[in-house]
Amino acid sequence: MSAHEIAPEPADPFLWLEEIDGSQARAWAAERTAETEGAYAGAARDALEARLTGILQDPDRLVVPSRHGDLMYDLWRDADNPRGLWRRTSLAAFTAGTPDWEVLLDVDALGREEGRTWAFAGATHGPAGSSRALVRLSPDGGDAAVVREFDLETRRFVEGSPFALDAEKSMIAWVDRDTLLVATALHGGGVTDSGYPITARAWRRGESLEDAPPILTGVPSDVGVFAHVDHTGGAATPIVVIAHDFFHSEAWVWDGTEPHLIAVPQDAHADVHGDLVAVRTTTPWRIGDTTHPSGTLLLGPLETVTSGDGSDLRVAFAPTDTAVLESWTWTKTRLVLTILDRVQSRLVSLDPATLTGVELDLGLGDDDLFSANVATADDDEDDQLWVVARGFLTPPTLLVLDPGAEPRVVDRSRATFDATGLVAEQHWATSADGTRVPYFEVGPRERHGALPVLMNGYGGFEHALTPEYPTIVGPAWLEQGRVYVVANIRGGGEFGPEWHLAALRENRHRAYEDFAAVSRDLVARGVSTPDRIACHGRSNGGLLVGNMLTQNPDDFGAIVCGVPLLDMRRYTRLSAGASWIAEYGDPDDPADWEFVKTFSPYHLIEPGRRYPASLIYAAASDDRVGPVQARKMAARLADETDAEVHYLEPVEGGHAGTIDAAATAALHATIHAFLDSTVGRAG
């Protein structure tokens, strides 16, 4: 055997479950799902489902719209309209709390008319002054969606419009009323190994997409080619991004004739805004005699990175030991930074010319742990900012901020659970290598003995877990006098790019050690005992809890594993898995497989070993991760061990796992019935 070959794996007896739509595999998934639903049927579960459905379909729930000029847009779902009403009202009426909603598209009625159960996947509005939009509709809740041109004045799809695409993972943006920037696999566009478009083209009304010449084309090993158009100041700046992997890309500005490279490090994030560019570094970047550290935001003229050496870039934000940049938003004359300081939010408004800034006081107080994010703004119109703020015990609040005025509360969400006697705190655990890892803990202020704990974590892709109002966990878990924990482990973005980079590839074990350290800290502090601690993770978080199941089974009493990666030997060959090689490593590279196999839960199952009870769920329509890794994990656990394992697989829902409020309520009612029967009864 060559030194560059991987020793053959033992035959996988569950390979047949990888046939997503295979009749035998679908029948297996349906049978396991029916068994799980039957096992947890009962009055208590049904009552919780009814309550959660009522919460998610509350006619008075908070509406968080998107702004386009003097109109506010929203997708409204309720019991009569489970797929939603795409609607709009005036900015003035919404701000005054008296919206008069105009329905643009009834998604349920469209589905009945066309014999398809469409899911609304978003709309791309035309340039300012345009009455057109590109509406995306998913046939099953997955990432692939059809695109249709929609007339906002007539409230109808444009009959005979050439701007229409069949279901595919396409990216499409308006250059002007009659020109689109398109990245699609359709009409000869082709796909990468990850299943994303490989080519971007300018598509002009009146010509076929096949005849539109490529602007840029990637290679099969790239993640994909993506398209965006900046319309600041009424001028269109088309941008094409070739993502080489999940964290390295090249961005090009297309002038209508040829593309021009934005010359920044491939791991940096570049954001074009008119004649300005904002660049956030991921690793240190040396410009002249100055090295800008990881997590710095630089601002300057676009030409300094398209035709210059970047020397005109200035520091708009520099990280500290506790404060990092989470995101930024442009208004007409300001640059608004969302900063995480010890994993809680602050907003700072900067003058792009002077880089002087003021902190925006949202009036949140200090009796909870809070996060805030910019919900919407129209940078062509004014500096008005719409912000959603929330805490673990504080329902989401929608505020509008006008320059020079105090924040104004437009609406508040109703509480979904009784928070009397509960407290939210931040604690710190010490991981295996001595790193201090923060975690949020919500539970009763007065405690007597060990309590059931539900832990949540993610730890990947620089995604930070910040304080969120527990709309479902509150009524299903916290009201029962239990504890909810959110672990801010490495791999996430809670402390900027370095927190993420610390758990990449061969260092992935650090994320799992961090999570286990939090669980053990809860035991050491007397909050709980291992048999009363459960964890729930989704997607990359599903991989996290899959490793808790296989590597730390004695630290947990139950595992809930959602839409997960689990077979890390074959993940790159399944759905969009090839796009995540930069995060996890390439299992087809012998050197990488040496460390990847150490966190592949599917391969870490040991017959005869004790494992905590598990509930694994996925959706047949998930075209990002896919259901097959979840299927195989459940099948192998059931076949080779004595572990209690349950499986759920709805057909619709995509990577979200569910497609509407009723399905979401049903899933979480079953999850909590499982938790009640395991850690809820332990001790």
Side-chain angles (χ1 to χ4, degrees), residues 425-456:
E425 301 173 330
Q426 187 177 53
H427 296 276
W428 297 75
T430 301
S431 194
D433 64 356
T435 300
R436 297 183 72 233
V437 178
Y439 63 95
F440 298 119
E441 178 182 313
V442 188
R445 187 181 299 275
E446 301 293 332
R447 304 181 186 182
H448 306 283
L451 298 175
V453 171
L454 176 59
M455 289 179 61
N456 182 29

Coordinates of all heavy atoms in Angstrom, one line a residue, residues 425-456:
E425 N -26.9 33.8 34.8 CA -25.5 34.1 35.3 C -24.5 33.7 34.2 O -24.8 32.8 33.4 CB -25.2 33.4 36.6 CG -26.2 33.8 37.7 CD -26.0 33.0 39.0 OE1 -25.6 31.8 38.8 OE2 -26.2 33.5 40.1
Q426 N -23.3 34.2 34.3 CA -22.2 33.7 33.5 C -21.2 33.1 34.5 O -20.8 33.7 35.5 CB -21.5 34.9 32.7 CG -20.5 34.4 31.7 CD -19.9 35.6 30.9 OE1 -19.4 36.6 31.5 NE2 -19.9 35.4 29.6
H427 N -20.7 31.9 34.1 CA -19.7 31.2 34.9 C -18.6 30.8 33.9 O -18.7 30.9 32.7 CB -20.3 30.0 35.5 CG -21.3 30.3 36.5 ND1 -21.0 30.6 37.8 CD2 -22.7 30.3 36.4 CE1 -22.2 30.8 38.5 NE2 -23.2 30.6 37.7
W428 N -17.5 30.3 34.5 CA -16.3 29.9 33.7 C -15.8 28.6 34.2 O -15.7 28.3 35.4 CB -15.2 31.0 33.9 CG -15.5 32.3 33.4 CD1 -16.4 33.2 34.0 CD2 -15.1 32.9 32.2 NE1 -16.5 34.4 33.2 CE2 -15.7 34.2 32.1 CE3 -14.2 32.5 31.2 CZ2 -15.5 35.1 31.0 CZ3 -14.0 33.4 30.1 CH2 -14.6 34.6 30.0
A429 N -15.5 27.7 33.2 CA -14.9 26.4 33.5 C -13.5 26.4 33.0 O -13.1 27.3 32.1 CB -15.7 25.3 32.8
T430 N -12.7 25.5 33.4 CA -11.3 25.4 33.0 C -11.2 24.1 32.2 O -11.5 23.0 32.6 CB -10.4 25.3 34.2 OG1 -10.5 26.5 35.0 CG2 -8.9 25.2 33.7
S431 N -10.8 24.3 30.9 CA -10.7 23.2 30.0 C -9.4 22.4 30.2 O -8.5 22.7 31.1 CB -10.7 23.6 28.5 OG -10.9 22.6 27.6
A432 N -9.2 21.3 29.5 CA -8.1 20.3 29.7 C -6.7 21.0 29.6 O -5.8 20.6 30.3 CB -8.2 19.2 28.8
D433 N -6.6 22.0 28.7 CA -5.3 22.7 28.5 C -5.2 23.9 29.3 O -4.3 24.7 29.1 CB -5.1 23.0 27.0 CG -6.1 24.0 26.5 OD1 -7.0 24.4 27.2 OD2 -6.0 24.4 25.3
G434 N -6.1 24.2 30.3 CA -6.0 25.3 31.2 C -6.8 26.5 30.7 O -6.9 27.5 31.4
T435 N -7.4 26.5 29.5 CA -8.1 27.6 29.0 C -9.4 27.8 29.7 O -10.1 26.9 30.0 CB -8.4 27.4 27.5 OG1 -7.2 27.3 26.8 CG2 -9.2 28.6 26.9
R436 N -9.7 29.1 30.1 CA -11.0 29.4 30.8 C -12.1 29.5 29.7 O -11.9 30.3 28.7 CB -10.8 30.6 31.6 CG -9.9 30.5 32.7 CD -9.8 31.7 33.6 NE -11.0 31.9 34.4 CZ -11.8 33.0 34.5 NH1 -11.5 34.0 33.7 NH2 -12.8 33.0 35.2
V437 N -13.2 28.8 29.9 CA -14.3 28.8 28.9 C -15.5 29.3 29.6 O -16.0 28.7 30.6 CB -14.5 27.4 28.4 CG1 -15.6 27.3 27.5 CG2 -13.2 26.8 27.8
P438 N -16.2 30.4 29.1 CA -17.4 30.9 29.7 C -18.6 30.1 29.4 O -18.6 29.4 28.3 CB -17.5 32.3 29.2 CG -16.9 32.2 27.8 CD -15.8 31.2 27.9
Y439 N -19.6 30.1 30.2 CA -20.9 29.6 29.9 C -22.0 30.3 30.6 O -21.8 30.9 31.7 CB -21.0 28.1 30.2 CG -20.8 27.6 31.6 CD1 -21.9 27.4 32.5 CD2 -19.5 27.4 32.2 CE1 -21.8 27.0 33.8 CE2 -19.4 26.9 33.5 CZ -20.5 26.7 34.3 OH -20.4 26.3 35.6
F440 N -23.1 30.4 30.0 CA -24.3 31.0 30.5 C -25.1 29.9 31.2 O -25.3 28.8 30.7 CB -25.2 31.7 29.5 CG -24.5 32.8 28.7 CD1 -24.3 32.7 27.4 CD2 -24.0 33.9 29.4 CE1 -23.6 33.8 26.7 CE2 -23.4 35.0 28.7 CZ -23.2 34.9 27.4
E441 N -25.7 30.3 32.4 CA -26.5 29.4 33.2 C -27.8 30.1 33.6 O -27.7 31.1 34.2 CB -25.7 28.9 34.4 CG -26.5 27.9 35.3 CD -25.7 27.5 36.5 OE1 -24.6 27.2 36.4 OE2 -26.3 27.6 37.7
V442 N -28.9 29.5 33.3 CA -30.2 30.0 33.6 C -30.9 29.0 34.5 O -31.0 27.8 34.1 CB -31.0 30.3 32.4 CG1 -32.3 31.1 32.8 CG2 -30.2 31.1 31.4
G443 N -31.4 29.4 35.6 CA -32.1 28.4 36.5 C -32.7 29.1 37.7 O -32.6 30.3 37.9
P444 N -33.2 28.3 38.6 CA -33.8 28.8 39.8 C -32.8 29.6 40.7 O -31.7 29.1 40.8 CB -34.4 27.6 40.6 CG -34.4 26.5 39.5 CD -33.4 26.8 38.6
R445 N -33.2 30.7 41.3 CA -32.3 31.4 42.2 C -32.1 30.6 43.5 O -31.0 30.5 44.0 CB -32.9 32.8 42.5 CG -32.0 33.7 43.3 CD -32.7 35.0 43.6 NE -33.0 35.7 42.4 CZ -32.2 36.5 41.7 NH1 -30.9 36.7 42.2 NH2 -32.6 37.2 40.7
E446 N -33.2 30.0 43.9 CA -33.1 29.1 45.1 C -33.1 27.7 44.7 O -34.0 27.2 44.0 CB -34.3 29.4 46.0 CG -34.5 30.8 46.5 CD -33.3 31.2 47.5 OE1 -32.8 30.3 48.2 OE2 -33.0 32.4 47.5
R447 N -32.1 27.0 45.1 CA -31.9 25.6 44.7 C -31.7 24.6 45.9 O -31.1 25.0 46.8 CB -30.7 25.4 43.7 CG -30.8 26.4 42.5 CD -29.7 26.2 41.6 NE -29.7 27.2 40.5 CZ -28.9 27.3 39.5 NH1 -27.9 26.5 39.4 NH2 -29.0 28.3 38.6
H448 N -32.2 23.4 45.7 CA -32.1 22.4 46.7 C -31.7 21.1 46.1 O -32.5 20.4 45.5 CB -33.4 22.3 47.5 CG -34.0 23.6 48.1 ND1 -33.4 24.2 49.2 CD2 -34.9 24.4 47.6 CE1 -34.1 25.3 49.4 NE2 -35.0 25.5 48.5
G449 N -30.4 20.8 46.1 CA -29.9 19.6 45.5 C -29.7 19.7 44.1 O -29.8 20.7 43.4
A450 N -29.2 18.6 43.5 CA -28.9 18.5 42.1 C -30.1 18.6 41.2 O -31.1 18.0 41.5 CB -28.1 17.2 41.8
L451 N -30.0 19.4 40.1 CA -31.1 19.6 39.2 C -30.9 19.1 37.8 O -29.7 19.0 37.4 CB -31.5 21.1 39.1 CG -31.9 21.8 40.4 CD1 -32.0 23.3 40.2 CD2 -33.2 21.2 41.0
P452 N -31.9 18.7 37.1 CA -31.7 18.4 35.7 C -31.1 19.6 34.9 O -31.6 20.7 35.1 CB -33.1 18.0 35.2 CG -33.8 17.6 36.4 CD -33.3 18.5 37.5
V453 N -30.2 19.3 34.0 CA -29.6 20.4 33.2 C -29.7 20.0 31.7 O -29.5 18.9 31.3 CB -28.1 20.6 33.6 CG1 -27.4 21.5 32.6 CG2 -27.9 21.1 35.0
L454 N -30.0 21.0 30.9 CA -30.0 20.9 29.4 C -28.9 21.8 28.9 O -29.0 23.0 29.1 CB -31.3 21.2 28.8 CG -31.4 21.2 27.3 CD1 -31.0 19.9 26.7 CD2 -32.7 21.6 26.8
M455 N -27.9 21.3 28.3 CA -26.7 22.0 27.8 C -26.9 22.2 26.3 O -27.3 21.3 25.6 CB -25.4 21.4 28.1 CG -25.0 21.4 29.5 SD -23.4 20.5 29.8 CE -22.3 21.5 28.7
N456 N -26.5 23.4 25.8 CA -26.5 23.7 24.4 C -25.1 24.1 24.0 O -24.5 24.9 24.8 CB -27.5 24.7 24.0 CG -27.6 25.0 22.5 OD1 -27.3 24.1 21.7 ND2 -28.0 26.2 22.2

